[in-house]
Amino acid sequence: MLVENDAPLAPLTTLRLGGPARRLVTAHTDDEVIAAVREADAAGEPLLVLGGGSNLVIGDAGFRGTVLRIATTGFALDGTVLELAAGEVWSEAVTRTVREHGLAGIEFLAGIPGSAGATPVQNVGAYGQEVAQTITEVVAYDRTAGETVVLTNAECAFSYRHSRFKAEPDRYVVLRVRFALADEAGLSTPVKYAEVAKHFGVEQGERVPLARAYEAVLGLRAGKGMVLDPADHDTWSAGSFFTNPVLTAAQYESFRTRPGAENAPAYPAPEGCTKTSAAWLIDRSGFGKGYGSGPATLSTKHTLALTNRGSATAEDLLALAREIRDGVREAFGVELVNEPVMIGVEL
């Protein structure tokens, strides 16, 4: 293990902001991860588990405890069963499944930054696909029980951008993730997302060549500033900053009475709810692409991404987020919820 004191955390996040860690531990094996967690817990030390830093907003004061950076590696494929170590770079793992092995199941999740271990926590998803559809098991260290456990897909309690791991953030540390992929003879899984179907000129539910699906998603994401590029400040973000609101029947009816809401996107959601578009709400509330004049602005390519233009502080970013959240609430009566994890700060 590598142990550093008063270590900068901003370079370890995609937003490139936030204060330092009192103590930063970098672990390269599962045993090192578990040892670091046990040491922090035994000492009563606050613990922050860090993967790719792509879904994190760290306050300017930093983290006055131990930050555990998981840098484990491991890509093991047995037929169509894939096991990834938590520290594996997610985008690279997706590339290998498609380009080297021709397997479908996570091809529409190409280009998403972060580590494999973070994917079940957030139930990462994009373009009609989410990891809950292919994850079979998650191996994790249970801090409450003090032992390594294996959770099945059902035990992970996946839902929209949520999971058991997110519901109990101080209990589990993901070590490995297992997926059931598919050999579809060079084809993708069925296209579910309208934008992708339109791109290929096919109906939703049809399949397209696997490699083309992968490349198309990378192109779509890059066009929105969602593929990391150090030279492009539009990619200095945490991806989508707000989740798409899921409204109860009563909330949706109230929303529909607001001026301008009659043409809002609407998608069926579980339990009789309706999901609408956070990006649509933000744009229609007066916050267009590139909104802002300070060191933190909306991306010039996508209204859902709040970006650091090079010198922003966490407070700069949060001030913009609050302005947008409050503006959407005033215009449409809908409360936007942040998607990134907040460390030492809140909206």
Side-chain angles (χ1 to χ4, degrees), residues 52-212:
S54 61
N55 198 48
L56 204 58
V57 178
I58 298 173
D60 295 318
F63 189 75
R64 307 319 296 166
T66 294
V67 175
L68 170 58
R69 185 186 184 195
I70 298 182
T72 54
T73 57
F75 180 106
L77 191 63
D78 182 5
T80 57
V81 177
L82 174 66
E83 179 180 282
L84 295 177
E88 280 288 324
V89 177
W90 174 252
S91 60
E92 294 177 2
V94 174
T95 299
R96 291 182 66 179
T97 64
V98 173
R99 288 183 171 171
E100 296 180 20
H101 303 285
L103 296 176
I106 54 176
E107 66 276 17
F108 293 110
L109 305 180
I112 294 177
S115 64
T119 60
V121 178
Q122 190 75 3
N123 185 18
V124 165
Y127 297 107
Q129 199 171 67
E130 56 187 22
V131 292
Q133 297 164 349
T134 48
I135 287 177
T136 57
E137 294 178 328
V138 175
V139 181
Y141 178 70
D142 184 340
R143 297 168 66 185
T144 301
E147 63 183 14
T148 300
V149 296
V150 179
L151 288 84
T152 65
N153 182 289
E155 290 171 330
C156 292
F158 290 122
S159 60
Y160 173 64
R161 300 299 176 269
H162 201 70
S163 70
R164 182 175 183 175
F165 310 105
K166 193 171 182 179
E168 300 181 77
D170 297 324
R171 180 170 181 179
Y172 297 101
V173 177
V174 176
L175 301 174
R176 297 185 172 269
V177 189
R178 295 170 181 151
F179 302 82
L181 304 181
D183 185 346
E184 302 291 356
L187 295 178
S188 70
T189 54
V191 176
K192 296 182 179 180
Y193 202 74
E195 184 180 8
V196 177
K198 182 179 179 180
H199 176 85
F200 284 109
V202 301
E203 296 295 323
Q204 289 173 258
E206 293 185 42
R207 300 174 189 266
V208 297
L210 179 65
R212 288 186 62 202

